[in-house]
Amino acid sequence: MATTNTVSLSKNVTSVQMEEYLTSLSWEKMAELSPSIAFLSVLIILGVPGNTLIFFIYWRYFKASSTRVFVLSMAVVDLLTSALSCSSLIIEVCFLYTFVHPHACQAMFIIARLPVVTSGWLLVFVALDRRHRICQPLRRHMSPRQALYLVLVSVALASATTFPFFPLRNIVMVKTDKDHVLGKRCDITVEFSSPQLKTAESLTLMLTLIFGLLLMISSYVHIGYKLHRQKSRNQMAPHTERQDQKRELKESEVPIKIVENDISTVMSTTSTSHGLIVKASATSEAVETTTVPPTVESTGPSKQDGCTATVSVGSDGKTTKVSTRGHVGKKIPSRTTLMMFVLTVTAIVSYVPYVIISNLDDDEWGGCLEKTGWEMNSCMIALLFVNVNSIVNPFIYSFCNPTFRAKCRHIFCSVRQRFSG
């Protein structure tokens, strides 16, 4: 409940006096909420240019892929969050007692929620895409067209959790310190709408969050397990190869000699890490076996991949060199996965405060506005913290992607040279 001593009113007040009184209340409350307004302003100042830069660099310099489609889509959604959602929230804070347009109130509810929920679903599909790329590398990867379809699915799912509940947002009558004066605020309440609809909205948000969390957590746990196995295999490979080389070197030093009727018969042998040159003559009484240094280069775990080699000698007595073939290990692209994982963790951290507060109190803003000072601002910032996800992406891309950093430096240098020249 708001209190003020700025304007003194009696019961016999005119509409003009009442309007002035409510306006003064709005200005006082806005001054108290200046930290929350500054928080939203920072999101706008950092989010708009940052996401614009992300979209331009990935559109201009990165080749077509599913990751590029997801990054471009998240940049657009986060740009809308910074430019529209945060701006609409500032407008609501500035008119806490004088908001009189119900249709604008419902439109602002859609603007504030739709981009945020869409961004969350995009991160879920990104986690599934990264899991498919790393845990199933031999299968066909997602194409850019398929990624675009998933972007549309994200928008559809976000719309399904937003549009059915916009009737909840309406003009709410707000009490003041004067019993005969009521303000008007844009807020969610069960007083002028169906309580069942509010319950359905809360359950939808909770189920959406839980389902998305389960998909993301299971995907990144599987990815982490795969990366751990790959790292352990790479660490064990050098020791295993050294043991195999010692054993096979000892075996290859034994000469092969079988003489029958003054004609040499050369048997075949097998080696996994050394080349063998076998010299044979049709009338010789011995076979000379010479060990040569290994000529096989392996970048993956050779023992698990089953590298084999065979020695064959033709009847014409020509020299044959052993050829060894094996599966070459493929390096897992963990840097992009790390970037997407950090984005996912940030989104989860930013979503949780809003979900907790919105489910503890049906009147989301009203519960916070009843408090005072930093307690009120802390509650409001916790509700607004879900929008933080719109500004962290540029910093995460800069930290995890060296190509993105290089392109940013190139663009900044070009702009500086153009203006300085």
Side-chain angles (χ1 to χ4, degrees):
M1 180 179 296
T3 60
T4 181
N5 296 322
T6 304
V7 181
S8 178
L9 294 177
S10 62
K11 292 185 179 181
N12 298 322
V13 294
T14 64
S15 60
V16 175
Q17 290 175 325
M18 185 179 298
E19 188 69 25
E20 291 177 352
Y21 175 67
L22 294 176
T23 301
S24 65
L25 283 180
S26 297
W27 280 101
E28 287 186 5
K29 184 61 70 172
M30 186 177 65
E32 294 179 21
L33 289 171
S34 55
S36 301
I37 297 176
F39 173 75
L40 291 171
S41 301
V42 170
L43 297 185
I44 297 174
I45 294 172
L46 295 179
V48 172
N51 288 292
T52 303
L53 182 65
I54 291 174
F55 184 87
F56 175 77
I57 290 179
Y58 270 83
W59 178 269
R60 180 69 175 81
Y61 297 106
F62 285 76
K63 64 180 181 179
S65 65
S66 61
T67 301
R68 178 175 177 262
V69 173
F70 285 128
V71 171
L72 290 175
S73 302
M74 286 190 291
V76 172
V77 171
D78 292 338
L79 180 61
L80 294 176
T81 301
S82 301
L84 300 180
S85 299
C86 295
S87 300
S88 66
L89 292 171
I90 291 178
I91 293 174
E92 289 188 41
V93 173
C94 294
F95 296 94
L96 288 174
Y97 292 92
T98 57
F99 206 104
V100 295
H101 302 289
H103 295 296
C105 178
Q106 294 174 351
M108 292 167 68
F109 168 75
I110 296 173
I111 292 173
R113 173 170 293 187
L114 185 61
V116 174
V117 180
T118 302
S119 179
W121 278 113
L122 285 174
L123 289 173
V124 172
F125 290 127
V126 165
L128 296 176
D129 178 49
R130 301 315 305 174
R131 176 186 172 275
H132 179 74
R133 285 179 175 273
I134 292 179
C135 300
Q136 298 174 340
L138 299 181
R139 293 189 178 182
R140 185 176 181 180
H141 294 163
M142 185 183 301
S143 65
R145 183 185 294 272
Q146 292 172 329
L148 182 59
Y149 291 154
L150 289 181
V151 171
L152 298 178
V153 171
S154 301
V155 176
L157 292 173
S159 301
T161 57
T162 302
F163 285 98
F165 305 108
F166 77 87
L168 285 173
R169 180 64 67 98
N170 210 327
I171 301 300
V172 179
M173 305 306 293
V174 184
K175 295 180 179 180
T176 65
D177 59 340
K178 305 297 181 180
D179 295 335
H180 55 282
V181 178
L182 296 177
K184 295 180 179 181
R185 178 182 303 163
C186 177
D187 203 353
I188 294 179
T189 181
V190 297
E191 184 177 354
F192 299 103
S193 59
S194 173
Q196 290 79 11
L197 189 60
K198 176 61 181 176
T199 303
E201 187 223 13
S202 300
L203 290 176
T204 301
L205 287 178
M206 288 297 298
L207 291 176
T208 299
L209 181 64
I210 293 173
F211 183 67
L213 281 176
L214 290 177
L215 288 178
M216 289 188 289
I217 291 173
S218 61
S219 297
Y220 284 110
V221 167
H222 195 183
I223 290 172
Y225 174 73
K226 185 71 174 181
L227 294 175
H228 177 71
R229 284 192 60 187
Q230 180 73 10
K231 183 178 180 180
S232 300
R233 188 177 299 174
N234 291 338
Q235 291 176 350
M236 294 176 60
H239 175 73
T240 305
E241 289 179 357
R242 286 195 298 268
Q243 296 295 328
D244 292 342
Q245 289 174 2
K246 291 179 180 179
R247 182 176 66 255
E248 292 158 5
L249 178 62
K250 184 180 297 184
E251 294 175 355
S252 63
E253 289 176 352
V254 179
I256 303 174
K257 182 178 181 181
I258 301 176
V259 180
E260 184 177 349
N261 296 330
D262 295 333
I263 300 177
S264 299
T265 303
V266 181
M267 305 295 293
S268 65
T269 184
T270 301
S271 175
T272 60
S273 64
H274 290 75
L276 297 178
I277 295 179
V278 180
K279 298 179 180 179
S281 175
T283 58
S284 63
E285 297 182 359
V287 178
E288 179 183 359
T289 304
T290 307
T291 303
V292 299
T295 59
V296 180
E297 295 182 2
S298 176
T299 59
S302 60
K303 186 174 181 179
Q304 288 82 352
D305 297 332
C307 299
T308 58
T310 58
V311 178
S312 61
V313 179
S315 59
D316 55 355
K318 293 184 178 180
T319 300
T320 303
K321 189 176 181 179
V322 175
S323 62
T324 306
R325 296 182 179 271
H327 175 71
V328 179
K330 184 179 180 181
K331 184 179 180 181
I332 292 179
S334 59
R335 185 175 293 276
T336 302
T337 304
L338 173 64
M339 180 177 69
M340 296 303 180
F341 175 74
V342 175
L343 287 175
T344 303
V345 172
T346 305
I348 294 173
V349 172
S350 63
Y351 271 70
V352 170
Y354 170 79
V355 174
I356 293 176
I357 295 177
S358 62
N359 283 278
L360 290 178
D361 196 342
D362 292 334
D363 190 4
E364 298 174 359
W365 284 38
C368 294
L369 294 174
E370 289 179 357
K371 302 176 175 61
T372 58
W374 282 103
E375 186 178 359
M376 175 180 62
N377 281 283
S378 299
C379 181
M380 288 293 295
I381 291 176
L383 278 175
L384 303 173
F385 202 74
V386 67
N387 298 282
V388 170
N389 192 48
S390 64
I391 69 165
V392 298
N393 291 355
F395 299 100
I396 295 176
Y397 293 144
S398 300
F399 179 76
C400 297
N401 195 327
T403 304
F404 181 81
R405 291 197 301 268
K407 296 302 181 182
C408 286
R409 286 194 297 266
H410 175 71
I411 292 175
F412 291 149
C413 291
S414 300
V415 172
R416 185 176 59 184
Q417 290 175 1
R418 178 172 298 181
F419 282 97
S420 61

